[in-house]
Amino acid sequence: MPRKIHLHGVPLQDGTYRKGCEMGPSALRTAQLAETLVSLGHSVADKGNIAPGPLPELTHPNPAVHSLPIIAAWTESIQATAAATPADVFPIFMGGDHSISAGSVSGMALAPSDKPLFVLWLDAHPDFHLLSTTESGNLHGTPVAYFTGQPGFEGYFPPLPRAVDPTRVCMIGLRSVDGAERTGLKAVGITTHDMRRVDETGMAALLSPFLAKVKEAGGRLHVSLDVDFLDPAIAPAVGTTVPGGATFREAHLIMEMLHDSGLVTSLDLVELNPFLDERGKTANLLVDLVASLMGRTVLDRPTRSHK
């Protein structure tokens, strides 16, 4: 079914010390994301890049935390954009590091709909640190804790009018989880599937029950896709490479199943760092994956080498 799609660039790289993610939206545009979606019959409007508002004066007792004012400002702007999404529009937030999801997910939870919001988190990391527990101070490791309403963000991040129920979050592809995150995830009931479980069970067996849960609840589904969900052999353009990620076919299978479900209503594409890419290899792969999510079948997909 043709969709009305809005593309939002989020050139944010302050959630980590490594530079380059601010070029992610441009790389996705260069890889012809919009043109690919139009070729599938969708209506696409590139809404340009979101910009942060004024920086608040903020400091945190955890001395490791850095870039807090700019991340708070970005989160507020992204949240406002997401919350204003019309009910008939499918927004794609083109990051930027994964801190963009603090705003995109919390904003989609506020968007006009009577359907509960679920989140599929495709990432090597759970990004479930509190401001008080992060040792690196990189705030791209905190968005899930924030948008599920965990404590300690009050007075630092924007107010959270409607938190996402942690039991409506499913993580697939985990393979780098800190001790504090492991404890927190168990406490709140987020569904977590690491790569060992993927190896033992397969992607389809893990994703199907979650999709059934979303359907049974009459929910809408936000998908947050981090480049490091993918194995670095096929997607090198990421600053947090962790070996043993999803293969080309595993990633496409997820996207094809998501399309078949008809449940996905919004999408993040994050942590694409073109400075680390190989002749656009990762950006092109992301565009191919989005195409699978939006209806391109295996037989229709043009041949493209990712070697």
Side-chain angles (χ1 to χ4, degrees), residues 154-267:
E154 303 87 351
Y156 298 104
F157 278 36
L160 192 64
R162 187 179 303 158
V164 176
D165 185 338
T167 65
R168 292 176 178 158
V169 179
C170 177
M171 299 179 170
I172 298 180
L174 300 177
R175 54 196 190 278
S176 179
V177 183
D178 293 337
E181 292 178 301
R182 189 179 297 112
T183 300
L185 289 167
K186 290 180 180 178
V188 300
I190 289 176
T191 299
T192 56
H193 300 304
D194 62 13
M195 285 306 297
R196 173 174 174 172
R197 189 164 295 170
V198 171
D199 292 341
E200 293 174 340
T201 308
M203 286 291 188
L206 299 178
L207 181 58
S208 292
F210 181 64
L211 294 178
K213 181 179 179 179
V214 179
K215 183 177 181 180
E216 183 179 1
R220 53 200 169 103
L221 179 58
H222 179 94
V223 176
S224 196
L225 173 59
D226 189 311
V227 171
D228 71 21
F229 167 72
L230 305 164
D231 192 87
I234 62 170
V238 63
T240 52
T241 53
V242 184
T247 67
F248 180 89
R249 269 309 310 157
E250 286 172 333
H252 272 289
L253 174 61
I254 283 184
M255 295 300 146
E256 292 157 6
M257 290 177 66
L258 289 170
H259 170 73
D260 292 347
S261 76
L263 296 168
V264 183
T265 53
S266 49
L267 173 67

